[in-house]
Amino acid sequence: MRTQRWIELTAVTVLVLVRSASAAASEFITIDPGGAWARASGVSADGSVVVAWGSHLSSGTDWRWTREEGIVRRPTLTGLNINLPPSLSSDGRVVVGSVGASGFQAYRWPVDDDIELLGVPQGYSDSQATAVSGNGDIILGHSRGPNGIEGWLWTQAGGFEFLPKELGVPSAISPDGRVVVGRSISAGFRWTAEEGIMSLPALSQTERSIPIGLSSDGNVVVGSAASPGRAEAFHWTKEGGIRGLGKLPAYPSHTRSSARAVSADGGVVVGSSYHFGSDVPTDQHAFVWDEVHGMRELETVLRDDYGLTNLHPWGLGDARGISADRRTIIGSAKPGRTNGGDEETWVVYLDEPIGPPLPEFGDYNADGKVGQPDLNLALGKWGVDLPDFAYPWINDLPVGAVGQGELNAVVLNWPAAVGPLDLSLGVSSGALTANYDLKTNGAFIDYTGASPVATLRQQILAGRGGAGFGQPWNGPGITSSTAAAANTADPESRSVGYGENSALPLGPYTTFRGQPVDKTSILIAITRTGDANLDGIVNDDDVTIVSATYAAGVPQPHWAFGDFDYNGFVDDDDVTLLGVFYDPSASPLVAPAEAANHVAAVPEPSSGVLAILGVLAILGLSAIRCSLNRRATVRS
């Protein structure tokens, strides 16, 4: 069986402790900022940040809330005291919205910076922000101009960039900024720069679909299919088309329902079912929908499934947001300004995700188990935006690049019955190349069949940044940030070395970095440059090896033979490196490995190597180090 075990376990151990500590009991919280009413409008992907809007004393106000800080109000903008519902980036760090007096202006409010008004595009009367990308860099909105309402995308670098005019009013954007949905006069739409405009069907010929929410990958749209006098929540996918979600069956008087938000994976929808009378929603009840259970009253689910009895006395009214992991839901109690005009924001934290059982933590292909395909997905999409995963919420990182956290998610939940992990990073067929930072650690690959050592060397070479002197160790392969940092102060002093255990010139190891290894193993470690046998010291053993393998002009692309600069040969440059860093008295970088035997026949040192070592002794190591510094500077 081809396997590989990485000895770096600290990040995984910490992750386990954090997850265990955060598994608190379910909890319902009412957030009352004071004033006449307050309506929830957004929640971060991890459920920690809530934004809302409403009235406070004589003016409108937007605010964000966290457990730690409580309510933080949007900074006051002189003369601009009317506001529209704000939106929140998935990472919870940027609030966007609109403020005005006679006309609105969009704003961007980072959690750690000043609020910024975006202004109004030339020739238009206003600007209104309606949504924001996952990291807060792209704002979606619209403006009124001579041709009616036109949507736009705003970025710090490009300002306002208008979308096709026929799109009308945009309402939501995917975390990566690639997918936009909204409504025109006649229909709902989905738009991407690559695919263009796609009209979203309605449930009947007399209706139009009004998109409101998007899954993280942009492939699931939810909203309301409306016609005069009625409306019905819908769920749309590219593969399955549109379906109506109905209304809460316990309330036959309800004439309308609306989906407000969908979970990151597209599987759970929240919203409200209600009767519409006297121009305001009445008898309104929050719902939750999924494929297995259909539409259910949220209050009943919270009482029966989660044991929450201390809910809002007015009822839950309208559910308006759900976190990426389905464990946080936000809403507003009694929307429609009933109960004396008051309206309060609520948030519920769940000890288990709502809806059908989620795939295992780390199950990126959503087949119900953690296994090699999930690992290959994580490695193959290293550096790619998380929405490309079927379930981007898996590691509570709904936006950003795939990295160590996603790898840890698989490692954390790897079932023992599957066998050891295969982190072969492209060594095996089906495994995909990725970037892996060894830092100060070692690893090994235990394989069957043909040795993957040549592929492994290419991945280390890519991580190194190429052959020769002065490489930065920051490329797309197996690398070490520790080596990169050390080489800044002492050029070429640290490297990622490797060796085929069965082919080590001084014999194979039985244990390596505390792990048992056999002859069909490839050993990998951050070590001192010149340490051919990977024991953490550059000493006489390494001189013996290089003396036996030195042959300038003869291809020998093996670190364990002495190819320390990765140019494919054991030549004068490698001898130079060996001489510069030769120090038998140095402490090992790690605990010494244990060898089965080091009695393999090794030829006597060649005269060429002895001559070069002699020259190094005459010139002095300080002079050689100066030369290496100059060469590293020139080559980098």
Side-chain angles (χ1 to χ4, degrees):
M1 176 180 293
R2 188 194 303 104
T3 64
Q4 176 173 316
R5 300 171 186 169
W6 297 92
I7 297 174
E8 181 185 4
L9 296 177
T10 303
V12 176
T13 303
V14 170
L15 185 57
V16 172
L17 293 175
V18 169
R19 285 173 58 81
S20 299
S22 65
S26 299
E27 181 181 9
F28 183 89
I29 299 173
T30 298
I31 307 171
D32 183 5
W37 57 278
R39 184 176 302 165
S41 61
V43 63
S44 60
D46 65 1
S48 65
V49 186
V50 177
V51 293
W53 68 299
S55 65
H56 177 66
L57 301 178
S58 61
S59 64
T61 184
D62 309 338
W63 46 267
R64 59 180 173 82
W65 174 91
T66 64
R67 284 180 179 272
E68 296 75 21
E69 295 181 288
I71 292 173
V72 178
R73 300 187 186 280
R74 170 180 51 78
T76 301
L77 296 165
T78 303
L80 303 175
N81 60 358
I82 303 174
N83 56 293
L84 296 175
S87 297
L88 181 67
S89 59
S90 298
D91 62 10
R93 301 192 60 79
V94 177
V95 179
V96 302
S98 308
V99 293
S102 58
F104 288 100
Q105 281 195 60
Y107 70 80
R108 182 177 186 271
W109 176 28
V111 66
D112 53 359
D113 206 346
D114 295 331
I115 191 170
E116 173 186 8
L117 286 172
L118 305 189
V120 176
Q122 187 174 1
Y124 293 80
S125 62
D126 65 358
S127 63
Q128 296 183 34
T130 54
V132 61
S133 64
N135 61 7
D137 288 346
I138 305 173
I139 298 175
L140 178 70
H142 61 274
S143 294
R144 299 176 187 274
N147 297 317
I149 296 176
E150 296 182 53
W152 42 256
L153 297 174
W154 180 94
T155 62
Q156 196 79 47
F160 295 99
E161 297 184 9
F162 279 89
L163 298 169
K165 295 180 181 179
E166 57 267 38
L167 294 184
V169 181
S171 55
I173 187 170
S174 60
D176 60 9
R178 293 183 298 185
V179 183
V180 171
V181 295
R183 69 183 188 278
S184 64
I185 294 176
S186 59
F189 68 82
R190 180 183 182 273
W191 174 89
T192 70
E194 299 79 14
E195 300 173 341
I197 303 170
M198 174 188 298
S199 293
L200 297 178
L203 296 174
S204 72
Q205 292 183 349
T206 61
E207 295 175 330
R208 66 166 174 165
S209 56
I210 303 175
I212 298 174
L214 265 176
S215 61
S216 281
D217 62 6
N219 290 329
V220 177
V221 183
V222 300
S224 179
S227 64
R230 71 174 300 275
E232 183 176 352
F234 74 81
H235 181 279
W236 176 93
T237 66
K238 293 180 69 175
E239 298 78 16
I242 192 169
R243 77 173 84 181
L245 305 185
K247 296 174 281 291
L248 285 173
Y251 302 96
S253 65
H254 285 186
T255 58
R256 305 188 182 197
S257 64
S258 180
R260 303 293 190 186
V262 62
S263 58
D265 66 321
V268 174
V269 181
V270 296
S272 63
S273 176
Y274 54 94
H275 173 71
F276 205 89
S278 303
D279 296 326
V280 295
T282 58
D283 188 33
Q284 189 166 16
H285 298 264
F287 75 74
V288 57
W289 175 94
D290 63 71
E291 189 78 46
V292 174
H293 302 96
M295 183 180 289
R296 297 180 289 169
E297 186 173 5
L298 179 59
E299 185 168 347
T300 301
V301 174
L302 297 182
R303 291 181 187 277
D304 294 349
D305 295 356
Y306 295 92
L308 288 169
T309 57
N310 189 25
L311 301 175
H312 203 288
W314 297 344
L316 299 189
D318 192 7
R320 305 185 68 89
I322 182 169
S323 64
D325 62 1
R326 305 186 194 167
R327 291 176 58 179
T328 304
I329 301 174
I330 65 165
S332 298
K334 285 294 183 182
R337 306 183 189 182
T338 58
N339 295 292
D342 286 335
E343 185 173 344
E344 293 186 346
T345 291
W346 53 261
V347 55
V348 59
Y349 295 106
L350 305 175
D351 57 357
E352 294 292 339
I354 199 166
L358 292 173
E360 290 293 325
F361 190 75
D363 177 18
Y364 294 118
N365 69 342
D367 64 356
K369 58 186 178 182
V370 176
Q372 189 64 43
D374 306 302
L375 184 62
N376 289 345
L377 272 172
L379 299 180
K381 291 186 178 294
W382 202 272
V384 178
D385 285 345
L386 267 169
D388 288 345
F389 278 113
Y391 289 85
W393 41 263
I394 288 290
N395 200 35
D396 294 332
L397 297 171
V399 294
V402 177
Q404 188 66 49
E406 288 66 52
L407 190 59
N408 286 348
V410 179
V411 174
L412 177 67
N413 290 279
W414 192 265
V418 174
L421 278 167
D422 180 357
L423 295 181
S424 47
L425 297 168
V427 175
S428 64
S429 60
L432 302 171
T433 304
N435 180 295
Y436 194 85
D437 185 358
L438 273 175
K439 298 182 181 176
T440 61
N441 300 289
F444 71 88
I445 298 173
D446 186 13
Y447 63 90
T448 58
S451 171
V453 67
T455 301
L456 180 72
R457 178 185 184 276
Q458 289 301 316
Q459 291 166 345
I460 298 176
L461 184 61
R464 188 178 190 270
F469 294 112
Q471 301 304 332
W473 285 107
N474 63 0
I478 298 174
T479 185
S480 169
S481 56
T482 303
N487 292 341
T488 300
D490 191 4
E492 312 301 336
S493 62
R494 298 290 187 271
S495 297
V496 176
Y498 71 96
E500 182 88 59
N501 197 27
S502 62
L504 295 179
L506 300 182
Y509 288 113
T510 57
T511 63
F512 183 70
R513 299 289 183 97
Q515 298 290 323
V517 293
D518 56 26
K519 290 185 178 181
T520 57
S521 297
I522 301 173
L523 315 180
I524 312 165
I526 166 73
T527 191
R528 303 177 191 276
T529 301
D531 175 24
N533 66 344
L534 303 176
D535 65 357
I537 309 173
V538 183
N539 57 17
D540 293 343
D541 284 345
D542 305 301
V543 173
T544 299
I545 292 170
V546 174
S547 298
T549 57
Y550 175 84
V554 177
Q556 295 190 91
H558 303 283
W559 169 277
F561 290 0
D563 179 21
F564 305 130
D565 62 354
Y566 280 88
N567 71 347
F569 303 91
V570 181
D571 54 19
D572 292 354
D573 283 345
D574 302 305
V575 175
T576 299
L577 290 168
L578 176 66
V580 168
F581 298 111
Y582 176 85
D583 186 1
S585 64
S587 300
L589 290 184
V590 295
E594 300 173 20
N597 64 76
H598 276 185
V599 295
V602 178
E604 291 295 322
S606 68
S607 57
V609 172
L610 292 176
I612 293 172
L613 291 176
V615 170
L616 291 174
I618 294 171
L619 292 177
L621 295 184
S622 61
I624 300 299
R625 286 183 184 273
C626 290
S627 174
L628 285 179
N629 271 285
R630 287 195 299 272
R631 295 175 73 172
T633 301
V634 170
R635 302 231 179 164
S636 60

